Amino acid sequence: MLAAARDLTGGVAPTRDDLRTVDLPPGSVPAGALRPGSELTSRLLSGPVRAGEPLTDARFLAPPAVPPGSLAYPFRVDDADITALLRVGDRINLYAADSTTAGAASQLARAVPVVALPTPRSATSGALIVVATTPEVATRLAQASANSRITVALTPDTG
C-alpha cells in the first residue's frame, strides 16, 4: 500500500516523491488503503500526514467536499490560534472588521464548510483556512482580505 515518504502538509496534493510503497501483513491493511497506481495528483490531503503513515481514502478530501458551482477559496486569518478550534467539515460564519471604520463589521458568509486547514509552510503570521463557497462569496472575501481583518465563528450546525 502507499504511505507518506516524508511529513506532508494538509491541503496539498501529494507528488510521486511524497509517496512510497510499504508492505503490511494482510490483517493489518486498513479499509480504504490506497494501492500503488492510485491517482492522487488531483486529490488534496485533508490534514497533515506523518512520514511512514499508511494512506487511506479517509486522509483525502472527497470530491463532494467542493460541490459543483462552488470553489475552494483559501484565506488568511490574523490569529493562528483560531484554526486550533476548527476541523475539516466544520461550518463557519465569516466576518470582516474594517479598522478604519470604528466598530463596523460585516458578515461575509454564513455556514461555509471548511475543506482544508493547511499546515504553515513558512513563518508567516496568521493561518490559512480553505472553505468551499460560491464565486460571489469568494469575491467578497478577496475584497475584505485586502481591506479588513477576517475572523470566523463556528455555527450551530457544525459537525
Side-chain angles (χ1 to χ4, degrees):
M1 75 174 292
L2 293 175
R6 60 182 183 82
D7 285 352
L8 303 174
T9 59
V12 299
T15 66
R16 273 196 193 101
D17 293 337
D18 295 331
L19 306 171
R20 66 183 174 113
T21 302
V22 296
D23 291 319
L24 296 177
S28 299
V29 176
L34 298 176
R35 310 274 182 210
S38 297
E39 177 53 47
L40 302 178
T41 58
S42 63
R43 296 187 64 192
L44 300 179
L45 288 166
S46 61
V49 177
R50 292 286 182 198
E53 184 178 331
L55 296 174
T56 68
D57 56 354
R59 299 300 281 148
F60 292 85
L61 295 175
V66 181
S70 295
L71 49 86
Y73 186 83
F75 66 96
R76 185 166 298 282
V77 292
D78 291 337
D79 185 352
D81 291 336
I82 288 174
T83 59
L85 302 171
L86 301 176
R87 300 288 175 262
V88 170
D90 284 348
R91 292 189 171 275
I92 57 176
N93 291 348
L94 302 174
Y95 300 91
D98 185 346
S99 61
T100 61
T101 309
S106 61
Q107 186 176 53
L108 300 170
R110 184 178 181 288
V112 294
V114 175
V115 296
L117 295 164
T119 303
R121 293 182 180 209
S122 63
T124 59
S125 64
L128 198 62
I129 299 172
V130 184
V131 295
T133 192
T134 64
E136 294 79 19
V137 169
T139 300
R140 287 197 302 268
L141 272 168
Q143 179 63 41
S145 294
N147 301 316
S148 307
R149 290 186 64 187
I150 307 295
T151 192
V152 306
L154 292 168
T155 67
D157 56 348
T158 295

